[in-house]
Amino acid sequence: MDMLMIQLEKDSKIPLYEQLYEEIKKGIIEGTIAVHTKLPSKRKLSEFLSISQTTVELAYAQLIAEGYITSKSRVGFFVEAIEELAYVEKTLPHHAIKKALNPQILIDFNPGKIDTSSFPFTTWRKYAKEAIDYHEKDLLLTGTPQGELGLREQIANYLYQSRGVLCSPEQIVIGSGTEQLLPMIMKLLGEENQYAIENPGYTQTHHIFSQYNQQVIPINVDEDGMQIQELEHSSANIAYVTPSHQFPTGAVLSASRRAQLLNWAAQDEQRFIIEDDYDSEFRYIGKPIASLQGMDHRDKVIYISTFSKSLMPSLRIAYFVLPEKLLSRYYNMFTYYTSTVPRFEQHILAQFMRDGYFSKHLNRMRKIYRKKLEKLTHALMPYAPTVTISGEQAGMHVVLTVKHEMNASTLSNIALQHGIRITPIKEYMLAPTIQNREDQFLLGFGGLEENDILNNIQKLMDCWNIQNTFR
Ligand SMILES: Cc1ncc(COP(=O)(O)O)c(C=O)c1O
């Protein structure tokens, strides 16, 4: 092969050698560069593409390291047969198809995103270094299945002070995410249960419950949270709720419904409440509402929360707090398993919390998210009453109601064609809801840049042809 015609983007954030490596690799996998082909020499290719010889050298070195090409001394570089890398061939077309079907996302209103620009990397690095410097031997061995005692102590303290959760570290179990802990809770609660879940609700729990063949009963949610009367008329014996900031509607479970829910649970030995308190750290309006767990005097609430929102979703650390009466069952069933969270991470987090950095981080992030929410509310004002906002008391997402001749699914597809991701509430529904939610969207704002919010909203409204009434 005399030459390789490759388009490189010199202004891209991706280094040139990586672009070159990716393009050649793609050619080899897709067969446009045939097996045994001799590639152009480093000098010739660098001259042809007007890039440095080092760039080509780095790209070729990576391809050699991954087995795509070989170097024959004084002869040149040759493409290898890659049948052995069957997994590459299998995954690539799928990936390529997905990319073609899903236009590039330029504005992402995904609720799972957090603000990544304010993470205290320096402090985190300090504790990570300390964990290695001072505890290396100890932390190499597996710890307690329940999670590190030091971290459980910090969590117990934090929960008492900020959420009114009353528990000892012995009641806390740490695991790698809510989604890994929920199946554990299900196993603890036994086989013959019927789960009431919020409708609309957190889709991840719908998947988990159905994967574990649990019977689920969708219960409607209104502006005061789960409708407890409907729960009372159902055959469910376990209620999964997000009372501080219902996902996805943002409703806060009212005080009277909290009491009703606890009373419902108290009426039968087999009844329990799973309280998912995933984003309660970020409350903007009014006083924080104490957890259901703190109000419970009958050992009926299993409290579950996560560091995915408050710190980072990639940390994969969440925890649940068991009522004392379920502890012996937990010890009988789960002490054979090793903790799913690496000890190093648990240790770093414990020290970070112990020295007050977690509270500082939360205070800082609360201000940042509050500002983002203000910008968002402000940006949406000119589009009222066509577009209204709700569920903005807490968290990192709100609900948009859009009065439009097209329904939310069509509007969401239109937005996607413009590179904007916004999800209709309908996608979080397990069954049709009493309240019409055809015109509602979930809008996550945590990952948006504060200064881009106005522009992001304008673009969304423009693509839906909704007029700015202030202009
Ligand atoms: C309702 C709810 N629960 C829990 C979580 C966090 O899950 P995990 O701990 O698995 O990251 C989220 C994240 O978006 C959520 O929306």
Side-chain angles (χ1 to χ4, degrees):
M1 176 176 268
D2 282 343
M3 208 34 73
L4 274 172
M5 187 54 225
I6 287 175
Q7 294 281 350
L8 299 176
E9 284 179 37
K10 300 206 168 160
D11 297 331
S12 161
K13 278 187 192 154
I14 303 169
L16 284 175
Y17 85 87
E18 207 176 309
Q19 294 183 40
L20 184 60
Y21 149 80
E22 286 290 352
E23 286 299 314
I24 300 176
K25 184 171 99 174
K26 192 167 150 222
I28 295 172
I29 292 170
E30 289 179 348
T32 51
I33 308 175
V35 179
H36 306 314
T37 300
K38 183 179 179 203
L39 296 181
S41 73
K42 289 184 271 186
R43 185 183 53 78
K44 275 196 189 157
L45 189 58
S46 70
E47 279 171 12
F48 181 68
L49 296 175
S50 303
I51 53 179
S52 77
Q53 216 165 298
T54 319
T55 303
V56 183
E57 232 167 66
L58 284 171
Y60 278 10
Q62 187 65 28
L63 290 163
I64 292 171
E66 292 180 15
Y68 289 100
I69 64 173
T70 45
S71 159
K72 290 190 184 150
S73 182
R74 288 176 212 281
V75 188
F77 298 92
F78 293 86
V79 174
E80 281 286 285
I82 55 159
E83 292 90 88
E84 298 83 42
L85 300 176
Y87 67 91
V88 176
E89 289 175 80
K90 268 185 205 147
T91 54
L92 191 99
H94 175 66
H95 179 67
I97 292 166
K98 226 176 144 192
K99 213 168 161 189
L101 287 177
N102 293 329
Q104 205 192 352
I105 303 297
L106 305 169
I107 302 173
D108 199 351
F109 292 116
N110 179 346
K113 298 251 158 130
I114 59 154
D115 183 296
T116 52
S117 53
S118 320
F119 186 76
F121 278 106
T122 315
T123 316
W124 197 263
R125 188 183 306 117
K126 176 179 151 243
Y127 289 113
K129 187 174 175 308
E130 271 182 26
I132 290 175
D133 286 352
Y134 302 128
H135 299 270
E136 51 189 67
K137 289 189 191 136
D138 186 32
L139 293 183
L140 292 178
L141 305 173
T142 48
T144 37
Q146 219 173 321
E148 295 294 287
L149 178 61
L151 180 55
R152 285 184 283 125
E153 280 168 353
Q154 292 305 322
I155 293 174
N157 251 333
Y158 162 73
L159 287 180
Y160 176 64
Q161 285 168 19
S162 67
R163 304 295 305 124
V165 170
L166 296 166
C167 69
S168 68
E170 284 66 42
Q171 289 169 262
I172 299 178
V173 178
I174 294 168
S176 58
T178 309
E179 57 192 33
Q180 306 297 331
L181 289 173
L182 275 174
M184 244 171 130
I185 295 177
M186 277 182 236
K187 282 189 205 151
L188 260 178
L189 293 174
E191 308 252 298
E192 304 293 317
N193 295 310
Q194 298 195 24
Y195 287 83
I197 57 170
E198 297 163 324
N199 187 36
Y202 184 39
T203 25
Q204 195 65 2
T205 43
H206 303 169
H207 296 315
I208 296 170
F209 287 124
S210 68
Q211 265 175 12
Y212 282 79
N213 296 324
Q214 299 296 322
Q215 209 182 327
V216 291
I217 300 168
I219 305 285
N220 277 283
V221 166
D222 60 22
E223 48 292 334
D224 285 332
M226 184 186 259
Q227 294 189 348
I228 308 301
Q229 256 193 345
E230 199 179 314
L231 171 70
E232 285 165 344
H233 288 119
S234 78
S235 52
N237 68 315
I238 295 171
Y240 164 85
V241 282
T242 49
S244 303
H245 188 227
Q246 201 272 331
F247 190 92
T249 66
V252 178
L253 194 69
S254 66
S256 60
R257 290 215 183 151
R258 279 166 197 257
Q260 246 182 303
L261 180 58
L262 289 167
N263 284 339
W264 167 85
Q267 280 162 26
D268 190 304
E269 185 61 21
Q270 301 308 319
R271 287 186 183 170
F272 286 97
I273 300 164
I274 302 174
E275 175 179 24
D276 183 351
D277 208 19
Y278 66 107
D279 74 354
S280 58
E281 293 86 2
F282 304 119
R283 181 162 182 82
Y284 314 113
I285 302 169
K287 278 200 298 182
I289 301 167
S291 62
L292 277 174
Q293 198 272 5
M295 295 168 73
D296 171 33
H297 302 293
R298 308 264 182 126
D299 258 9
K300 286 292 184 183
V301 178
I302 300 169
Y303 178 93
I304 183 163
S305 191
T306 179
F307 289 96
S308 288
K309 299 280 185 189
S310 54
L311 274 173
M312 53 183 136
S314 65
L315 187 64
R316 308 314 300 142
I317 303 188
Y319 50 87
F320 58 73
V321 178
L322 283 179
E324 279 184 357
K325 69 173 167 209
L326 290 180
L327 277 180
S328 57
R329 224 187 278 179
Y330 166 79
Y331 289 124
N332 285 336
M333 289 176 81
F334 288 106
T335 38
Y336 310 103
Y337 298 96
T338 316
S339 170
T340 51
V341 184
R343 289 185 77 195
F344 275 99
E345 266 66 27
Q346 295 192 53
H347 190 83
I348 297 167
L349 178 55
Q351 306 301 79
F352 186 79
M353 292 178 86
R354 183 201 61 193
D355 292 349
Y357 287 102
F358 184 56
S359 312
K360 267 190 209 151
H361 180 64
L362 289 182
N363 288 339
R364 186 154 174 241
M365 295 316 295
R366 201 174 293 115
K367 281 185 197 138
I368 290 174
Y369 290 130
R370 180 181 279 131
K371 268 198 189 156
K372 288 189 183 188
L373 178 61
E374 278 165 13
K375 283 257 158 126
L376 180 72
T377 319
H378 191 252
L380 284 164
M381 265 178 198
Y383 303 98
T386 310
V387 181
T388 48
I389 188 172
S390 57
E392 71 274 38
Q393 295 93 329
M396 286 133 81
H397 69 260
V398 294
V399 171
L400 277 197
T401 304
V402 181
K403 302 280 168 228
H404 202 285
E405 59 201 13
M406 287 184 255
N407 67 22
S409 306
T410 314
L411 290 174
S412 155
N413 283 334
I414 293 174
L416 200 58
Q417 297 315 314
H418 288 79
I420 305 173
R421 175 160 46 194
I422 182 161
T423 314
I425 289 286
K426 210 175 161 192
E427 294 192 13
Y428 298 92
M429 279 161 39
L430 200 71
T433 49
I434 293 180
Q435 203 170 335
N436 173 27
R437 298 192 182 272
E438 284 290 326
D439 52 1
Q440 292 188 331
F441 294 87
L442 180 60
L443 187 151
F445 58 86
L448 304 177
E449 287 294 329
E450 190 191 321
N451 290 333
D452 292 342
I453 291 178
L454 186 62
N455 192 264
N456 293 162
I457 292 295
Q458 265 166 13
K459 288 210 164 111
L460 179 67
M461 295 301 139
D462 287 350
C463 85
W464 288 344
N465 242 333
I466 299 179
Q467 301 306 315
N468 180 330
T469 53
F470 287 9
R471 270 192 203 137

